[in-house]
Amino acid sequence: MLRLLLIFLFPIIQLSPNWESNFDIAKQRSIKENKIILIHFVHKNKDAKNVKLDKVLFESSDFIEYANNEVVLLKVDLGIERTGDSEKQFYHNSILLERFNNKMLAPYTIITDTEGNILKRWSHEQPIAPADFVKSIKESIEAHKQ
């Protein structure tokens, strides 16, 4: 019974995107693995708009298959408060906001190279199909290489 359960759960576990929450770790990984960084800004991770975007786009098989092999994912939650254990994360997120998202847009996604240069931005005002999103990332990377 356990084997059968593992057989069915393994693909689901493997398809989960691995989001970092620290830019320094994401940058180290991007340099080590020679990958771009996809930074996704959300306001309160459980917000209905963010949940829907996660389900439709970031948890789609098209995106996960690409992202697990080609990008380092970083999620920045703008809803973190400046108290207790989350104070350090709040200040970390503030630095990222100042550098990449000074208008405090959310949901908002960018891709950067290993140096932190922005290659592409998405405000998610209009829905985008996962395959089109992946295509847009690939095109932005190719344009940056030239």
Side-chain angles (χ1 to χ4, degrees):
M1 180 68 167
L2 182 59
R3 277 190 201 170
L4 189 58
L5 183 62
L6 289 174
I7 289 170
F8 287 110
L9 285 180
F10 185 71
I12 294 169
I13 294 168
Q14 195 172 14
L15 287 179
S16 300
N18 181 25
W19 292 92
E20 299 289 349
S21 61
N22 183 297
F23 181 74
D24 296 328
I25 291 171
K27 184 175 179 179
Q28 289 172 357
R29 277 192 53 211
S30 82
I31 292 168
K32 180 180 176 185
E33 299 171 17
N34 195 28
K35 296 179 179 179
I36 62 156
I37 304 170
L38 183 142
I39 305 173
H40 181 57
F41 293 89
V42 298
H43 190 294
K44 297 194 178 172
N45 218 7
K46 304 294 183 204
D47 177 68
K49 190 173 183 180
N50 292 321
V51 170
K52 183 177 180 182
L53 185 63
D54 279 354
K55 293 277 183 224
V56 172
L57 185 60
F58 296 118
E59 293 177 10
S60 71
S61 58
D62 285 339
F63 176 77
I64 292 171
E65 185 177 320
Y66 177 75
N68 282 343
N69 295 314
E70 302 297 330
V71 300
V72 174
L73 301 172
L74 173 66
K75 189 175 280 190
V76 180
D77 189 344
L78 306 181
I80 290 180
E81 296 181 14
R82 198 171 105 177
T83 57
D85 294 338
S86 61
E87 188 168 359
K88 185 176 180 181
Q89 188 66 46
F90 175 84
Y91 286 113
H92 177 76
N93 291 358
S94 298
I95 293 167
L96 293 175
L97 273 172
E98 187 176 310
R99 183 171 179 188
F100 297 116
N101 184 7
N102 57 8
K103 293 183 181 176
M104 293 188 64
L105 302 172
Y108 179 68
T109 306
I110 62 172
I111 53 173
T112 71
D113 60 14
T114 56
E115 300 299 315
N117 299 310
I118 297 174
L119 308 181
K120 178 84 174 172
R121 306 165 196 256
W122 295 268
S123 63
H124 302 290
E125 292 173 4
Q126 300 296 322
I128 185 169
D132 293 338
F133 187 64
V134 169
K135 181 180 176 187
S136 182
I137 294 171
K138 288 178 182 179
E139 289 171 349
S140 299
I141 295 169
E142 283 303 313
H144 178 69
K145 287 180 180 178
Q146 296 175 359

